[in-house]
Amino acid sequence: MSKRILVTGATGTVGSELARLLVTAGCDIRAATRSPEKAERLFRSEVDVVELDYRRASTFDAAVDGAEGIFLQAPPFDPDARETLVPLLDWAVQAGVGNVVMMTAMGVEVRDDLPIRRLEKHVESLGVAFTLLRPNFHMQHFAGGFLGERIRRTGAFSMPVGDARVSIVDGRDVAEVAAACLLSDEHDGKEFTLTGPEALTHQEIAETISGVIDAPVAYESVSDEEMLARLTSTGWRPEIAGVVIALYQSVRGGVRAPVTGDVAQVLGRAPAAFSDFAARNTDSWLSVVGQNP
Ligand SMILES: NC(=O)c1ccc[n+]([C@@H]2O[C@H](COP(=O)([O-])OP(=O)(O)OC[C@H]3O[C@@H](n4cnc5c(N)ncnc54)[C@H](OP(=O)(O)O)[C@@H]3O)[C@@H](O)[C@H]2O)c1
């Protein structure tokens, strides 16, 4: 019988890739989103879509009904991640979900004060099988979202991280690891820190993008104050922008530099390098060289 799995954040970087991988593996998937029309456009009829909003308990029943496993992730930069996700988690376990694979973030295990670490501890206490995935920043960050847009529009990006190194990871590798953890009980109770194969500076990231699109891409290091002002002036709520700045501070502290062997341990192959990711995603930056104004 095919395994029924609820994939949260199914319109996002990792969730969308994971939903497709699980369908290919023969699972019965529910792809959860607050906007079913958006997900139906994304998946066409490949995947069953269900409406789910972590903040609306009225959406929980239909999402968790009959699910054996769940892939869980907090909304990006959520300063209240524990309060946001515990109601759904408890509901799911009560409804019979026996396996939780949760994506948090690299380095949270040493920060007991963070809501996301307290959420991990809640998962550990539920009495069901679980795996914790802690990825570094996804490479997709530089191709989509506010950074990708900035590079496309201006051929430059700024971050308050100086020449600190980051072992960024391909979100596709994170999805593949999540699929492996949902499809087998081999990884139950384990924690994986998921990184790419090398730690790069943002200057090196800019040079790599520049190399694949054959046009200049500049990286500028700015102060926390400057970054905070830029984020809030473009509509970021101050408490969310604060979470972003704290993340950058952890980058400067070297927390995001180590390279681990965890992707290779689960997948039996090396993680993708940023140069491969960039070559595969050249279209994302094309407006830099004027092809996509
Ligand atoms: N991006 C990174 O580099 C990175 C690195 C390490 C860890 N993480 C962690 O991964 C998680 C996702 O971040 P991301 O940047 O990968 O995000 P993303 O790709 O933009 O995906 C976020 C997903 O969350 C869903 N979502 C947001 N609010 C929701 C709510 N109230 N109820 C239900 N679903 C909701 C969105 O679905 P709809 O809008 O369709 O409802 C979307 O599919 C975060 O917890 C983040 O800390 C991210």
Side-chain angles (χ1 to χ4, degrees):
M1 208 174 65
S2 68
K3 205 167 183 178
R4 180 172 281 197
I5 296 173
L6 172 66
V7 176
T8 69
T11 58
T13 303
V14 173
S16 58
E17 190 65 28
L18 174 62
R20 291 195 179 97
L21 287 171
L22 292 173
V23 167
T24 305
C27 294
D28 177 2
I29 293 305
R30 297 247 179 79
T33 171
R34 290 164 301 172
S35 321
E37 331 70 56
K38 180 167 93 182
E40 271 149 18
R41 275 199 306 278
L42 182 68
F43 295 115
R44 304 185 186 277
S45 54
E46 285 172 272
V47 174
D48 278 342
V49 169
V50 68
E51 183 178 1
L52 172 70
D53 186 335
Y54 302 139
R55 299 189 173 93
R56 283 175 47 226
S58 59
T59 62
F60 293 176
D61 254 341
V64 303
D65 182 39
E68 295 154 77
I70 178 169
F71 174 73
L72 198 65
Q73 55 178 312
F77 312 120
D78 184 353
D80 305 311
R82 186 182 183 284
E83 283 64 33
T84 304
L85 284 188
V86 162
L88 171 68
L89 250 179
D90 290 353
W91 194 293
V93 171
Q94 191 96 35
V97 169
N99 184 16
V100 177
V101 173
M102 188 165 74
M103 173 168 77
T104 60
M106 184 172 183
V108 303
E109 67 277 14
V110 295
R111 292 288 310 274
D112 282 348
D113 56 314
L114 292 179
I116 196 83
R117 175 61 191 139
R118 288 191 282 116
L119 176 64
E120 287 191 344
K121 288 191 164 176
H122 187 77
V123 169
E124 289 164 357
S125 73
L126 286 171
V128 298
F130 71 88
T131 315
L132 299 176
L133 306 183
R134 301 187 183 118
N136 204 340
F137 294 111
H138 304 148
M139 293 174 183
Q140 279 77 358
H141 218 38
F142 294 91
F146 70 95
L147 268 183
E149 202 216 319
R150 187 106 195 125
I151 297 170
R152 258 192 310 282
R153 275 199 301 113
T154 66
F157 65 99
S158 318
M159 287 175 99
V161 293
D163 58 2
R165 290 185 175 272
V166 279
S167 53
I168 48 178
V169 63
D170 188 341
R172 292 208 326 198
D173 286 341
V174 178
E176 231 179 285
V177 169
C181 296
L182 286 158
L183 291 171
S184 146
D185 56 13
E186 193 187 330
H187 306 296
D188 290 357
K190 295 187 184 159
E191 306 167 357
F192 295 112
T193 296
L194 306 175
T195 74
E198 60 197 335
L200 301 170
T201 62
H202 283 70
Q203 180 60 35
E204 288 166 341
I205 290 169
E207 284 165 12
T208 304
I209 299 171
S210 176
V212 296
I213 61 174
D214 199 19
V217 173
Y219 159 66
E220 178 199 17
S221 184
V222 293
S223 67
D224 284 349
E225 293 70 26
E226 174 66 25
M227 193 72 202
L228 192 62
R230 288 185 192 191
L231 290 174
T232 49
S233 72
T234 52
W236 288 61
R237 293 199 336 253
E239 66 275 25
I240 306 277
V243 174
V244 178
I245 297 298
L247 269 174
Y248 291 144
Q249 285 166 347
S250 77
V251 170
R252 289 203 304 269
V255 173
R256 298 296 185 111
V259 171
T260 73
D262 290 8
V263 169
Q265 186 189 328
V266 178
L267 302 183
R269 61 157 178 83
F274 186 67
S275 52
D276 297 333
F277 172 86
R280 216 174 61 226
N281 287 280
T282 308
D283 285 359
S284 312
W285 300 295
L286 276 186
S287 62
V288 174
V289 283
Q291 283 102 324
N292 191 18

